[in-house]
Amino acid sequence: YSFGLGGNHSTRTLLLAAQFLHEELPVRLARRARELKKLPFGLGDTASIKGVRKLYERSFFRIRRFPKPNTPELEEKFTEMLEDIKNEHNSVQANIARGLQELSEVRVDIYSQPGALVHDGMPFDFSTFLDRFYLSRVGVRVLIGQHIMLHHPQDGFVGIIQTNCQPAMVCQHAIEDAARVCDMQFGASPEVLLEGATSTILPYIPEHLHYIFFELIKNSMRATVERYRDSSEELPPISVVFAEGEEDIAIKISDKGGGIPRSGVHRLWTYTFTTAGSTAEKLAEVGQEGRGGTPVMA
């Protein structure tokens, strides 16, 4: 953020940022590749996980073999390479999930507990691994995205960070996207009401906010439609409440879709928990989405 603060994206600023990434990114990529290789129970040997590891290793070597970007010409080529790497990693999330599914299909001696895989009574904390892996992934993509966007300045933005981001406006865009998906799949979608401090602004990455809003509201819409589609009642609205305090901002999304069974609460924050079909079904839908289908309503 500080590299672009003030809007002076000079050659020196871009060179400093590129040189920082040239040193920092290989370290982060190598750590993730090593973690993927050391996964227990044969998880690291599944085709999908192995593919992700090789992608991280290839990205590591591409950056390490690139000369230090100490001229504007090298920095330009370095940025183009980073953009290519970022695009290559778009499918990592789905491939990690596929790897877990592949393991469950070939290793019947392994079973899952909330947040863990168990073999011969020995658990592996899979959720902690994924927390660490995805947090690093977000960090890498933010660093690369910030540098790329410093080459394409926009009014009101410092790189990918919007200086006066209005969460309610981002939410409205996410509502429209989620409603379009819900309408395509179910033929109807509930209204969404924005309430509270909707004029709140803060410096933030709108793309991240949109992702969160879209996923949560999409889930709320699905649950609401599934519960009321055989009822004569109108679909009840979903509520999004914005609250601004002196130190923080809170956003609450609530619906009348029936909630989550009490028996599922202890699995709520695990990566494999869903109230909308099996993991295999969701991955099949992800595959269809990549081939031009509709996004997953999960």
Side-chain angles (χ1 to χ4, degrees):
Y1 180 77
S2 61
F3 274 129
L5 197 60
N8 181 22
H9 308 144
S10 65
T11 300
R12 182 174 180 277
T13 299
L14 293 173
L15 286 173
L16 287 173
Q19 289 165 16
F20 167 75
L21 295 179
H22 189 262
E23 293 292 326
E24 180 67 18
L25 291 178
V27 175
R28 300 191 183 210
L29 293 169
R31 285 173 178 167
R32 300 291 76 79
R34 185 174 59 184
E35 276 195 323
L36 289 167
K37 191 172 185 177
K38 293 169 65 176
L39 285 173
F41 310 151
L43 182 57
D45 295 323
T46 61
S48 294
I49 299 292
K50 194 178 291 184
V52 172
R53 176 168 57 83
K54 288 181 177 178
L55 178 63
Y56 272 74
E57 290 173 349
R58 185 165 66 249
S59 300
F60 167 85
F61 284 114
R62 287 183 69 183
I63 296 174
R64 288 295 294 163
R65 289 168 180 164
F66 195 93
K68 185 176 181 179
N70 51 17
T71 68
E73 293 74 23
L74 280 175
E75 190 277 327
E76 193 76 37
K77 291 180 180 179
F78 181 71
T79 302
E80 291 174 2
M81 181 185 68
L82 291 184
E83 189 163 10
D84 185 48
I85 288 173
K86 185 172 182 283
N87 292 333
E88 282 187 339
H89 284 244
N90 284 342
S91 61
V92 163
Q93 222 169 335
N95 286 334
I96 291 290
R98 284 193 184 91
L100 186 59
Q101 185 65 27
E102 289 166 8
L103 182 70
S104 69
E105 291 170 355
V106 298
R107 294 290 300 273
V108 294
D109 56 332
I110 295 175
Y111 63 94
S112 61
Q113 289 180 344
L117 297 175
V118 181
H119 175 59
D120 284 344
M122 298 182 62
F124 169 64
D125 192 346
F126 194 60
S127 283
T128 297
F129 160 74
L130 287 179
D131 284 344
R132 190 167 56 245
F133 183 86
Y134 286 137
L135 183 61
S136 172
R137 170 177 159 81
V138 170
V140 167
R141 292 181 73 82
V142 166
L143 288 172
I144 294 176
Q146 178 72 359
H147 184 70
I148 292 170
M149 290 309 297
L150 287 178
H151 282 264
H152 310 283
Q154 305 175 71
D155 290 340
F157 281 79
V158 177
I160 59 175
I161 302 165
Q162 188 175 16
T163 52
N164 289 309
C165 178
Q166 188 175 355
M169 185 175 294
V170 178
C171 184
Q172 185 59 51
H173 293 154
I175 291 168
E176 293 167 5
D177 293 339
R180 187 159 46 248
V181 174
C182 193
D183 287 335
M184 290 173 65
Q185 184 148 346
F186 297 110
S189 60
E191 180 185 8
V192 182
L193 305 176
L194 303 185
E195 305 173 283
T198 56
S199 60
T200 297
I201 59 172
L202 75 160
Y204 211 80
I205 303 174
E207 182 182 2
H208 288 189
L209 267 183
H210 183 279
Y211 182 89
I212 296 167
F213 280 134
F214 175 73
E215 291 297 325
L216 293 177
I217 292 169
K218 175 167 61 73
N219 289 357
S220 287
M221 286 184 173
R222 176 194 55 78
T224 301
V225 172
E226 287 184 344
R227 189 180 190 198
Y228 288 89
R229 61 183 163 188
D230 296 325
S231 171
S232 58
E233 300 178 51
E234 289 188 4
L235 294 174
I238 296 166
S239 172
V240 183
V241 179
F242 299 83
E244 183 177 10
E246 292 184 4
E247 296 182 352
D248 49 26
I249 295 168
I251 303 169
K252 182 179 77 172
I253 300 174
S254 56
D255 60 64
K256 296 182 179 179
I260 296 169
R262 189 175 294 275
S263 60
V265 170
H266 69 294
R267 296 186 293 126
L268 183 60
W269 299 111
T270 62
Y271 286 89
T272 54
F273 179 73
T274 176
T275 60
S278 69
T279 300
E281 291 170 346
K282 292 301 134 193
L283 288 172
E285 292 183 59
V286 169
Q288 291 168 3
E289 180 184 354
R291 293 188 293 272
T294 58
V296 180
M297 283 298 291

